[in-house]
Amino acid sequence: MTSVANAHARAGRAHRPAPALVFAFLVVLLIAVAVGSMTIGAAGIPLPRLLAAFGLGTGDAAAIARDEVVLWSIRFPRIALAGIVGALLAAGGATMQGLFRNPLADPALVGVSSGAALAAAITIVVGDRYVVGHLASVPFEILPFAAFCGALVTTMILYRIATRHNRTSIAIFLLGGLAIAALANAGIGLLVFLSDDRQLRDITFWMLGSLGGATWSKVATIFPFLIASIMAGWIICRGLDLLALGESEAFHSGIAVERLKRLSIVLIAAVTGAAVSVSGVIGFIGIVVPHLLRLVIGPGHRMLLPASMLLGASLMMGADSLARVLAAPAEIPIGIITAVIGSPFFLYLLLRQRSLVSL
């Protein structure tokens, strides 16, 4: 049986494309999606005018000046924010699937996204009513900070629940996350019931996700998280590979398993909280992207983590473009787009897992 499994594994590796070829394709895909995102929207910018706005062509001076304003004030920060958010969510998903040794794991399962959304909803309803009720609304800059604090507090609570005698139980961490997510969603439901029409629209943003408020300041806020996630991913990739063999095997291979768990949990909370703080709750990127790439390049996290970040960025930029044009001039919440893409894929994963178990 073992020889048959090894034969299948060797056959799978033999049919995988070279990593350099995969990364080249992902980089080209990222550039193509970014260029496409620049050209479409309420103010369409055809490719010749886009080239003129970059100084690579000629055209009407007034139109070029308008295109430059649209690109630098609206499109570029939105594309950059979409790319970073997609990369962070995909990195969180790949890390969590490696930590739990389960391709169905998703950061949303541990309640980090729900905790962030609950903190934002509390700020909108309670803060608007009792703290800054004399203002037209809660200053928008406060909401990302509140959401990020909600993600951190959720992670700290989960970590305290799951850790005993300096040992962190991944199973308890996951089950505690499910309970906290349910509690946070109940709190959000109560706040929706208490909110007025304007507050309800603001809460909807955090529940369904949107990149409509993208600014360069938001890009600058979460860019350090992108750098930190790349560095942390490089540190933990070997440990996650060995953890797939089992905790005992990883320990005897020289991996500090508890330290690896803590670092992975902090990374998942940080990247998910940072992404939710600027875009609201956006699901399925973290589960679809890593699993899809695992089928192509294999389970090794040294390749899987950076590849997931590239594909996550492309997928998020593409989903945001669809959100802008499908119901123009209105915008569809991006969480709906990702759910439409991710839900069938998630069902496919469940059916595939069931068939494997039945074998």
Side-chain angles (χ1 to χ4, degrees):
M1 182 66 75
T2 303
S3 60
V4 172
N6 291 336
H8 282 296
R10 287 194 296 271
R13 287 195 294 270
H15 288 88
R16 287 171 190 158
L21 185 62
V22 174
F23 275 93
F25 172 77
L26 292 175
V27 170
V28 172
L29 177 65
L30 181 67
I31 295 172
V33 175
V35 172
S37 298
M38 295 177 197
T39 61
I40 63 176
I45 303 177
L47 190 57
R49 278 172 39 193
L50 180 66
L51 295 175
F54 281 107
L56 301 176
T58 58
D60 181 65
I64 293 175
R66 189 206 65 177
D67 292 342
E68 289 178 345
V69 172
V70 171
L71 287 171
W72 287 100
S73 301
I74 302 174
R75 298 278 168 83
F76 286 163
R78 185 159 182 161
I79 292 170
L81 194 68
I84 295 175
V85 167
L88 292 177
L89 292 176
T95 304
M96 190 166 188
Q97 290 173 13
L99 181 64
F100 286 100
R101 286 169 279 166
N102 189 330
L104 302 180
D106 183 15
L109 288 177
V110 300
V112 176
S113 299
S114 298
L118 176 62
I122 291 173
T123 306
I124 292 170
V125 177
V126 179
D128 190 29
R129 185 170 300 176
Y130 298 107
V131 180
V132 291
H134 60 286
L135 300 176
S137 63
V138 176
F140 190 80
E141 292 77 9
I142 294 178
L143 295 178
F145 178 75
F148 184 69
C149 290
L152 285 182
V153 170
T154 302
T155 305
M156 292 173 62
I157 294 173
L158 279 173
Y159 186 74
R160 292 292 299 173
I161 292 174
T163 302
R164 187 177 183 185
H165 303 308
N166 293 323
R167 291 182 61 86
T168 303
S169 170
I170 297 300
I172 293 179
F173 188 87
L174 177 59
L175 293 174
L178 292 173
I180 288 181
L183 186 62
N185 288 331
I188 293 172
L190 177 62
L191 291 168
V192 167
F193 178 77
L194 296 175
S195 63
D196 57 30
D197 290 342
R198 180 179 54 77
Q199 293 167 347
L200 181 59
R201 287 194 296 272
D202 292 340
I203 293 175
T204 301
F205 163 82
W206 293 98
M207 294 292 294
L208 298 178
S210 174
L211 296 169
T215 61
W216 285 117
S217 62
K218 289 184 178 179
V219 174
T221 299
I222 66 168
F223 184 74
F225 288 91
L226 178 66
I227 301 299
S229 64
I230 293 173
M231 297 173 63
W234 182 260
I235 294 172
I236 66 175
C237 61
R238 179 173 176 269
L240 290 177
D241 289 344
L242 292 173
L243 193 63
L245 304 175
E247 293 190 18
S248 298
E249 288 77 2
F251 177 78
H252 291 296
S253 299
I255 299 297
V257 175
E258 291 304 314
R259 181 184 173 189
L260 173 66
K261 289 180 183 177
R262 288 194 293 270
L263 184 57
S264 300
I265 290 170
V266 170
L267 174 62
I268 293 167
V271 298
T272 306
V276 173
S277 70
V278 296
S279 65
V281 178
I282 299 175
F284 289 108
I285 295 291
I287 188 171
V288 170
V289 172
H291 192 81
L292 185 62
L293 285 169
R294 196 176 287 108
L295 297 175
V296 177
I297 63 175
H301 289 82
R302 186 177 180 183
M303 298 294 177
L304 182 64
L305 281 171
S308 296
M309 297 177 82
L310 286 172
L311 185 57
S314 300
L315 190 57
M316 184 62 73
M317 286 192 290
D320 182 55
S321 299
L322 291 176
R324 284 190 279 131
V325 300
L326 287 181
E331 287 190 12
I332 299 175
I334 193 171
I336 295 177
I337 302 293
T338 58
V340 169
I341 297 172
S343 297
F345 191 80
F346 187 73
L347 291 174
Y348 160 75
L349 292 180
L350 289 176
L351 294 174
R352 187 171 181 269
Q353 289 290 105
R354 188 184 64 177
S355 64
L356 290 176
V357 170
S358 64
L359 288 174

